[in-house]
Structure formats: structure tokens, C-alpha cells
Amino acid sequence: EGFDTTHMAKSLVIVESPAKAKTINKYLGRDFKVVASMGHIRDLPKNKLGVDVDEGFTPEYVVIPDRLKVIKELREAAKGATDIFIATDPDREGEAIGWHLAEELGTKKQKIHRLMFNEITKKAILEAIKHPGVIDMKMVDAQQARRVLDRLVGYKISPILWDKVRRGLSAGRVQSVAL
């Protein structure tokens, strides 16, 4: 009745949505555990600027409060995994989410890979697993720059809008130039 431990070493695959996780789980079989991050897990803090303007505009990220449970679950799942495959959406936003996940979950033990596929078919998924990549820091930086700019502009211009137009309005990076 010996317990088979050889099958304990699973690879963890992280996608954004639970629906995707379910489908991909079916394709990959029992050596993989597929979980959903439910989109973003970290962002700039809600109650302050969260960007160090004097230190090269360094963003300060905090875990989104209602993602704490998800992160706890992801950490648990990551503990037993040999490899972590980040399979967030193949766009700039997905790349940034992937980087945040890697930052939150990465340990020295596991290798973190980036999985890219444009369709959720068995063929596309298995092909992606055969050729994993790495997180594209240029895309991550582009997303971070955009987020920081949004924050700086929103934080500095929205109060002017409240004063002159209507309270509660917020300005984005596009509208602000016009203003």
C-alpha cells in the first residue's frame, strides 16, 4: 500500500481565469496543476501616490486586498511544484501580471517559465509547454510606465477637475493633455 511519491512533483501552471484553468487542466493531465490568478494580484496603493518621484519614478506595489486569499492559495500550490509556468494573457497586461506573479511566488528552487499561446486548444497548449520562454521585461516595463503615468496624471490632475468641474471625476493620461 506504499504511497507513490514520484507523482508529487507537479508543475504549476497559472492562468488568469478559472474557466481557462479548467480547460487547460484537462489537456495537461495529472503532472500539472492549473490555477487562476483572477487577473492582477498587485497594484499601486489606493490611498497614496505610490510612486517615488525622487527615485526614478519607482513604483511601490501592494497586494490587492481581495487577492490575498488567491495569493495564499497560489503560494501553497507553488510550494510543491518543481516548475512554475506563467500562462497569463499574451499581451502587455498579461506580461505584467506574470511578472508580479513571479515576484510574489518565485523562490530559488523553482524555475519560472513563460507560456504563450493564442488559442486554448490541446495542440497549442502542448506546443507551448514544449517551448516555454521567459517573461519579457520590456513589455513589463512598458506596462509599468503606463501605470505610473496614469497614476501621476490622475493623482495630480483629478483634484483640479474636482475643484473646477465636478467632484469624483478622474483624469487619465489621454484626457489630461487636452485639459
Side-chain angles (χ1 to χ4, degrees):
E1 296 300 292
F3 184 63
D4 177 17
T5 52
T6 53
H7 253 81
M8 289 304 283
K10 272 193 190 233
S11 293
L12 181 67
V13 178
I14 305 173
V15 294
E16 287 178 50
S17 84
K20 266 187 202 162
K22 241 177 112 164
T23 310
I24 294 170
N25 214 11
K26 283 198 292 243
Y27 298 147
L28 288 177
R30 61 187 199 143
D31 291 336
F32 292 86
K33 182 178 170 70
V34 187
V35 293
S37 78
M38 318 294 279
H40 280 278
I41 56 159
R42 293 198 306 193
D43 195 11
L44 299 171
K46 278 250 179 286
N47 52 352
K48 61 178 185 176
L49 187 60
V51 176
D52 191 338
V53 181
D54 304 317
E55 278 301 316
F57 297 98
T58 311
E60 173 205 331
Y61 293 110
V62 294
V63 168
I64 300 167
D66 53 3
R67 290 285 178 271
L68 283 165
K69 195 168 154 275
V70 173
I71 288 184
K72 204 173 158 244
E73 287 163 10
L74 291 172
R75 280 208 181 108
E76 272 309 302
K79 250 190 221 149
T82 45
D83 291 83
I84 297 173
F85 291 93
I86 304 222
T88 44
D89 295 353
D91 55 23
R92 187 177 54 213
E93 196 84 16
E95 208 66 28
I97 293 171
W99 175 74
H100 284 294
L101 284 164
E103 291 274 297
E104 283 293 320
L105 302 175
T107 61
K108 296 278 174 279
K109 299 196 313 265
Q110 293 120 325
K111 282 186 77 110
I112 293 199
H113 314 275
R114 176 74 167 106
L115 280 194
M116 300 282 259
F117 39 82
N118 291 309
E119 48 177 24
I120 299 184
T121 59
K122 188 167 188 172
K123 186 171 174 263
I125 306 292
L126 296 177
E127 199 51 37
I129 289 274
K130 271 193 227 142
H131 305 105
V134 292
I135 286 171
D136 179 348
M137 283 315 292
K138 284 199 176 86
M139 268 172 89
V140 173
D141 288 342
Q143 179 60 32
Q144 291 195 79
R146 201 180 146 173
R147 186 72 193 94
V148 164
L149 189 61
D150 269 341
R151 173 54 63 98
L152 291 174
V153 164
Y155 238 78
K156 302 288 186 207
I157 296 209
S158 297
I160 301 168
L161 276 178
W162 299 344
D163 189 43
K164 306 276 182 252
V165 187
R166 192 183 73 217
R167 251 204 107 57
L169 286 177
S170 70
R173 55 182 189 282
V174 181
Q175 300 94 321
S176 305
V177 186
L179 248 131

